[in-house]
Amino acid sequence: MNSSALDPEIRDVFIEIVGRKNCLSEPEGMADYSHDEFSLRDIGRMPELVLKPRSSFQVAAILEVADRERIPVTPRGGATGLCGGCVPAPGGIVLSLERMNRVLEIDVANQMAVVEAGVTLRQFEEAVEEAGFYFPPHPGEESAMIGGMIATNAGGSRAVKYGVLRNYIRGLEIVTPQGDILDLGGKLIKNSTGYSLLHLMIGSEGTLAIVTKAVIQFLAKPALTRSLVIPFDDLDAAIETVPLLLRNILPIALEFVPRDVIMISADRLRKSWPCSLGETHLMIILDAAGEDEMDRLSQSAAAIALDHGALDIFIADTPKKQADVLDIRSKIYEAIKQDTIEILDVCVPRGQIAAHVKRVRAIAAKYGLWLPTFGHAGDGNVHTHIMKARQENGRIVPVPESEWRGAFDKIREEIYEDGRSRGGVISGEHGIGLVKKKYLSRSLSPEHIGLMRGIKRVFDPNGILNPGKIFD
Ligand SMILES: Cc1cc2nc3c(=O)[nH]c(=O)nc-3n(C[C@H](O)[C@H](O)[C@H](O)COP(=O)(O)OP(=O)(O)OC[C@H]3O[C@@H](n4cnc5c(N)ncnc54)[C@H](O)[C@@H]3O)c2cc1C
């Protein structure tokens, strides 16, 4: 692998492909391309060149040269990733898809869109909504791009009813490291034609090929939505109610949040959360075709919750109240980001959430750090935040680096081990990237990782594409 300085002649070849103004080589311009949203900037690395192609042909031309010259290429979308996936670990080229940002088609008859990889989630949602439809997956940060969301198989809180990115991707255009442009799948609901390379691409974190276009399914818009906030005295009562709720209703989202954390987010946004009772809140978002169905679902949820220890039921039914509740929940990360070292995204069978969270609390007590934990109760995906702070009588007290540095890895180890022992995995939606690769064997057997290495060699024999990610 050539990770030394780029030969000036080769550099000129790349500049010619994308045009000088679409190429960055100065440190000031490239600094933004050296990291993603993972908080510790010491994992960052400056690339030698940032290229911003406008077409699949330009991507193919770049990869052909990079492969021949053994130059590492790191694809990059919105850089909202949380595990260093788009950090150019060995230097080389950052291939930013930001200029490939066209919504090419909204095909109403097939309920599918054709978009370039650099379209953002916000842009995509707007295009789909403008056509009167609905795209359910919603990873919290709307500047994420379609290519990055596909590469991480992004999820979000609506997965409990509507699934994750994988469930919506029907076709892909990819560019292989050798510079071949391939179409996988298409505007098809069913496809049993050979190995599904399409699904192999989803979640491959830019290590096998570059995604340049996608065919994405969208759905009819639900007629009505309503949010319920249900406080409980303790976590156990809240979590134990989840399987009972799911036996009777299938909500869009079913989240658990500690009251203290949600209040920090509400205060920061100067918005009001509907209730201040209890310790743990369930947030349920329902959708329905009409008022009768909505009332039946809400009443059923309320009756089950009140039977199992809920302190009250709060309903947000106007668009404004619902938007506020969702905004406060979605922006928790922003509210505590300053003191966050890492957001974990362990996924356990949902019947194990309460036990897993209790173990996290014990680990927090053992190391004297605040580990606020909340997440997608409906699908088992638990977000523990490892903080450089502790809580003292409700106050957040920063902890010096000399104290948290030593504890950080041990905390991760213990949480991952607990997740594994409960049949869980180390990542439910963020991916492995750079940060979690040393823990991959906690979730996958050596044989499984061996097959993955073999697949990587088939696609990328010279190892130029996003080297150092997922595994070494
Ligand atoms: C506040 C906040 C909330 C979040 N909430 C959620 C959530 O609820 N659910 C969730 O799943 N995630 C969440 N995330 C994480 C992040 O938004 C997702 O991982 C998202 O899918 C990353 O998309 P991106 O375009 O930013 O990708 P990047 O960060 O740019 O890249 C991610 C990975 O994809 C690869 N990649 C990017 N583009 C391409 C391409 N065109 N072809 C091949 N590989 C490519 C990169 O090399 C890298 O490995 C959140 C992040 C933040 C900051």
Side-chain angles (χ1 to χ4, degrees):
M1 176 66 47
N2 180 359
S3 61
S4 59
L6 275 181
D7 182 320
E9 276 179 30
I10 304 290
R11 184 182 290 255
D12 287 345
V13 174
F14 288 125
I15 294 173
E16 201 170 309
I17 294 170
V18 293
R20 187 166 294 280
K21 66 179 192 320
N22 302 311
C23 170
L24 303 174
S25 55
E26 299 304 321
E28 315 82 72
M30 294 198 299
D32 265 356
Y33 294 80
S34 65
H35 61 82
D36 64 0
E37 278 292 321
F38 181 72
S39 74
L40 300 182
R41 291 295 149 100
D42 49 9
I43 68 153
R45 167 94 197 250
M46 196 69 107
E48 288 167 68
L49 209 54
V50 175
L51 300 175
K52 305 180 188 182
R54 176 72 170 144
S55 71
S56 311
F57 298 107
Q58 290 185 357
V59 172
I62 292 166
L63 288 184
E64 209 184 326
V65 177
D67 194 49
R68 192 181 64 225
E69 301 296 331
R70 309 288 193 265
I71 298 164
V73 176
T74 303
R76 173 184 159 112
T80 67
L82 294 164
C83 54
C86 67
V87 170
I93 292 168
V94 164
L95 185 77
S96 171
L97 279 297
E98 66 198 87
R99 292 176 65 239
M100 293 181 63
N101 59 358
R102 285 170 297 185
V103 175
L104 300 173
E105 188 187 356
I106 297 285
D107 176 347
V108 169
N110 285 305
Q111 287 188 207
M112 290 186 201
V114 182
V115 300
E116 291 184 317
V119 165
T120 62
L121 174 61
R122 182 173 304 119
Q123 203 187 336
F124 184 64
E125 275 196 333
E126 279 169 11
V128 168
E129 279 168 21
E130 205 171 290
F133 291 91
Y134 176 56
F135 180 62
H138 194 269
E141 176 51 65
E142 292 189 340
S143 56
M145 292 177 187
I146 294 295
M149 288 163 53
I150 292 170
T152 53
N153 189 23
S157 54
R158 297 174 188 162
V160 59
K161 179 164 186 178
Y162 287 111
V164 297
L165 247 282
R166 182 182 301 284
N167 305 105
Y168 294 83
I169 303 303
R170 303 291 180 220
L172 288 179
E173 180 192 79
I174 60 163
V175 182
T176 68
Q178 299 73 41
D180 295 323
I181 302 177
L182 262 71
D183 282 314
L184 311 176
K187 290 181 180 173
L188 303 166
I189 305 284
K190 290 171 135 184
N191 188 346
S192 301
T193 314
Y195 294 167
S196 177
L197 300 187
L198 174 89
H199 283 281
L200 187 54
M201 291 305 131
I202 302 167
S204 64
E205 300 189 45
T207 60
L208 300 179
I210 306 281
V211 172
T212 43
K213 280 183 202 147
V215 180
I216 307 177
Q217 183 86 60
F218 49 76
L219 303 182
K221 210 170 170 178
L224 292 176
T225 58
R226 180 180 287 172
S227 304
L228 309 182
V229 173
I230 309 183
F232 289 82
D233 260 336
D234 60 44
L235 174 81
D236 282 4
I239 298 292
E240 279 158 18
T241 309
V242 169
L244 305 170
L245 288 166
L246 290 172
R247 236 179 269 162
N248 291 275
I249 57 166
L250 184 52
I252 302 184
L254 176 37
E255 305 275 298
F256 75 102
V257 280
R259 181 182 46 83
D260 55 355
V261 175
I262 205 85
M263 291 307 169
I264 293 172
S265 178
D267 286 352
R268 179 178 161 274
L269 294 170
R270 296 180 199 282
K271 288 185 173 173
S272 90
W273 184 252
C275 120
S276 57
L277 299 171
E279 228 192 72
T280 300
H281 294 180
L282 290 183
M283 182 191 96
I284 302 178
I285 307 180
L286 299 167
D287 63 352
E291 291 286 356
D292 288 351
E293 188 191 350
M294 182 58 90
D295 287 344
R296 185 184 60 73
L297 292 172
S298 315
Q299 282 159 14
S300 176
I304 293 165
L306 290 168
D307 260 5
H308 292 86
L311 302 172
D312 208 337
I313 309 287
F314 294 83
I315 296 180
D317 48 5
T318 65
K320 159 94 173 77
K321 283 187 199 159
Q322 289 191 59
D324 281 356
V325 164
L326 191 61
D327 201 30
I328 294 169
R329 160 65 187 92
S330 304
K331 302 256 169 67
I332 293 178
Y333 173 63
E334 293 299 319
I336 58 175
K337 183 175 170 179
Q338 193 189 332
D339 294 314
T340 301
I341 310 170
E342 185 176 357
I343 309 175
L344 305 186
D345 73 314
V346 166
C347 191
V348 293
R350 65 184 175 215
Q352 294 287 338
I353 291 183
H356 178 66
V357 176
K358 268 200 224 162
R359 177 75 193 123
V360 172
R361 285 185 177 176
I363 295 169
K366 176 174 167 188
Y367 290 99
L369 284 182
W370 186 33
L371 303 179
T373 298
F374 50 90
H376 314 306
D379 60 32
N381 199 187
V382 178
H383 293 305
T384 295
H385 290 49
I386 305 180
M387 307 296 287
K388 38 188 164 187
R390 61 175 176 269
Q391 257 188 328
E392 274 176 14
N393 307 322
R395 274 187 327 119
I396 300 164
V397 181
V399 164
E401 181 165 352
S402 55
E403 274 180 44
W404 63 256
R405 269 281 172 193
F408 174 38
D409 265 357
K410 293 182 193 147
I411 289 173
R412 280 205 284 205
E413 287 271 353
E414 292 191 25
I415 293 177
Y416 286 154
E417 180 48 31
D418 185 71
R420 190 203 58 75
S421 72
R422 299 179 192 286
V425 289
I426 59 174
S427 175
E429 58 182 11
H430 296 162
I432 304 300
L434 203 52
V435 170
K436 294 190 201 119
K437 71 175 171 181
K438 69 175 172 178
Y439 302 105
L440 188 66
S441 59
R442 297 252 175 215
S443 295
L444 304 180
S445 67
E447 293 77 14
H448 190 142
I449 297 173
L451 284 171
M452 285 170 50
R453 284 189 205 285
I455 291 167
K456 169 76 174 167
R457 277 195 298 274
V458 168
F459 274 85
D460 184 17
N462 296 321
I464 63 151
L465 212 49
N466 213 0
K469 306 299 163 54
I470 307 181
F471 46 69
D472 280 319

